[in-house]
Amino acid sequence: MISPDIIIVFVSLFIVFIGLGFYGKYWRRGDLNHVHEWSLAGRKLGTTLVFFLIGADLYTAYSFVAIPSGVFAKGALYFFAIPYVMLTFAVALVAMPRLWTLAKEKGYITASDFVKDRFNSRTLAIMIAITGIVAELPYIALQIVGMQAVLTVMLAGYANAQVAQEISLLVAFVILAAFTYTSGLRGATLTAIFKDILVWITVIAIIVIVPITIGGFGNAFKAVGNSYVTLPDNLVPAYATLILGSALALYLYPHAISGVLSAQSAQKLRSSTALLPLYGIGLAILALMGILVYAVPGAMNFLSGFPESSRGILVVPSLILYSLPSWFSGVALLGVFVGGLVPAAIMAMAQANLLTRNIIKEIKPNLSDKSEIQITKASSTIFKFIALGFVFSVPATYAISLQLLGGILIAQILPAVFCGLYVKSLRKVPLIIGLLAGIISGILMVEFTNSFGQLTSSLLKTMFGPIYIAVIALGINLVISFGGSMIQKKIDIKKNAEQ
């Protein structure tokens, strides 16, 4: 059982977190009965606030369990997260300021708003919205898996720990739903700042204290095999395509776009994006935790009490528990815990915007502004609890594997969204066909790779080596979208000449 000091600090700081969430309603006041005020904070966030908000999307509870878990189990391959993060910010600097400018001029709230206006296609816009909603669901579920990891460590040894864990998650999500409903993105932004401060303190403390305690990084690397130090030659294609595919996908997620569109100006967005590679340093430290834990006997002994398949997600919480002073463990564990709550709030809000603006409003175009914001707030709450129910009913290992599909799906909207910002020759029909082809081929390749059973891999074996399926599916999508647009353009030119 853990020390009472940990629980006292954890609960006390969580109360502060709740207060900040509800205070968001009064911070930088705006009429929260308007969608852009509730879901984008009135587009008034400056450089520092956007930095913390988008950083909250990056430093999620899943980041605290997935990356260290991958390194812990598989080794160097999972260090792809560090260069991918650096590359994705370069992608963002190219695409996001232009999207922000267009959104400000024309009142876009979502990427589907842009697609509908750019290609004059309700069908394509609805398809983009559905893809975004579906891709976000496992992402939210995985935030909860990260939160479960914290509660598993904290409640280990207590009677009825499973029941206590589920009640704790339910209470946390009721509170989250309440302050999100009342405060919108303003509440999420304030809590994101609080969460990021806790996370940075935790990351710095661990990377200083653990190496000193174990006698240096060398002792940790001595405890692991060569695959943790050097990437095997046969995994180089997998490493490279995971970097590329993940970098292209991250800013296509609806919650990332919501963070971008909340910026006060394109210049402040550029400035905050230029600072975000700092989070790459933190991610590198997180990845190292998957190796450092091998040199901490207490943590390894604790992990040995769990099935091998579930040890990985407990790496960081157990490292915190057995490396830091008890009172500070409460601070660090709360940082990981709310690191799931804040992104879950932003993700559910982004889903709600897509559902209301780009699906329901297309079916019922005369929807009033009042009805739109009411449906958006309500659906945001519903999406949170759908994800929570999903985690309660599906094993964590299966929930994590579903995220593989989420990344593959969201990458397929790249031609319409990113390319659509700059390439004028693209046509809606080839984009629709390309999107469908990318999604269908991606799902089929994932199923084939996993022998039509439980999803455990997103890497397709090819003559070049294992390749991330999202990249292959996106390649098919791009060929159809650009090739079809070129053919259609030639046909249109020929028709105009005959007339």
Side-chain angles (χ1 to χ4, degrees), residues 9 20 25 84 105 189 204 231 282 318 353 401 415 448 466 470 483 487:
V9 173
L20 287 171
K25 180 180 180 180
Y84 124 63
E105 290 175 358
T189 302
I204 293 169
L231 183 71
S318 61
N353 283 328
S401 62
F448 174 78
I487 293 170

Side-chain angles (χ1 to χ4, degrees), residues 433-450:
I433 297 171
L435 177 59
L436 287 172
I439 290 173
I440 293 171
S441 65
I443 292 172
L444 289 176
M445 282 186 280
V446 168
E447 291 293 342
F448 174 78
T449 298
N450 294 281

Side-chain angles (χ1 to χ4, degrees), residues 377-398:
K377 289 181 176 181
S379 56
S380 171
T381 302
I382 291 169
F383 279 128
K384 293 183 185 73
F385 286 99
I386 288 175
L388 188 61
F390 174 80
V391 172
F392 283 165
S393 59
V394 177
T397 52
Y398 190 65

Side-chain angles (χ1 to χ4, degrees), residues 115-266:
V115 169
K116 179 185 176 182
D117 190 36
R118 167 68 175 79
F119 298 103
N120 191 29
S121 174
R122 292 173 58 194
T123 302
L124 182 58
I126 290 173
M127 289 173 64
I128 296 289
I130 292 172
T131 303
I133 291 171
V134 172
E136 286 281 33
L137 274 174
Y139 215 151
I140 298 176
L142 291 175
Q143 305 311 309
I144 303 170
V145 170
M147 294 161 63
Q148 280 182 318
V150 173
L151 293 175
T152 297
V153 170
M154 291 184 66
L155 297 173
Y158 285 94
N160 301 315
Q162 183 64 33
V163 175
Q165 180 186 115
E166 292 183 358
I167 292 173
S168 299
L169 282 173
L170 183 60
V171 170
F173 264 72
V174 168
I175 293 168
L176 178 70
F179 81 63
T180 302
Y181 191 94
T182 58
S183 304
L185 196 68
R186 287 173 168 83
T189 302
L190 287 179
T191 54
I193 296 170
F194 179 70
K195 183 221 77 166
D196 282 358
I197 290 171
L198 294 182
V199 166
W200 274 109
I201 291 172
T202 300
V203 167
I204 293 169
I206 289 178
I207 204 61
V208 172
I209 293 173
V210 174
I212 292 173
T213 303
I214 64 176
F217 288 101
N219 287 333
F221 281 96
K222 287 177 184 176
V224 298
N226 289 333
S227 64
Y228 288 79
V229 181
T230 305
L231 183 71
D233 291 343
N234 65 314
L235 291 181
V236 171
Y239 185 81
T241 52
L242 280 168
I243 292 171
L244 177 62
S246 301
L248 293 175
L250 184 62
Y251 271 85
L252 290 168
Y253 277 102
H255 64 276
I257 291 175
S258 292
V260 164
L261 298 186
S262 68
Q264 192 172 38
S265 69

Side-chain angles (χ1 to χ4, degrees), residues 59-82:
Y59 253 135
T60 66
Y62 184 53
S63 298
F64 265 94
V65 297
I67 296 171
S69 175
V71 173
F72 178 78
K74 300 292 185 181
L77 176 63
Y78 281 82
F79 277 97
F80 83 87
I82 290 86

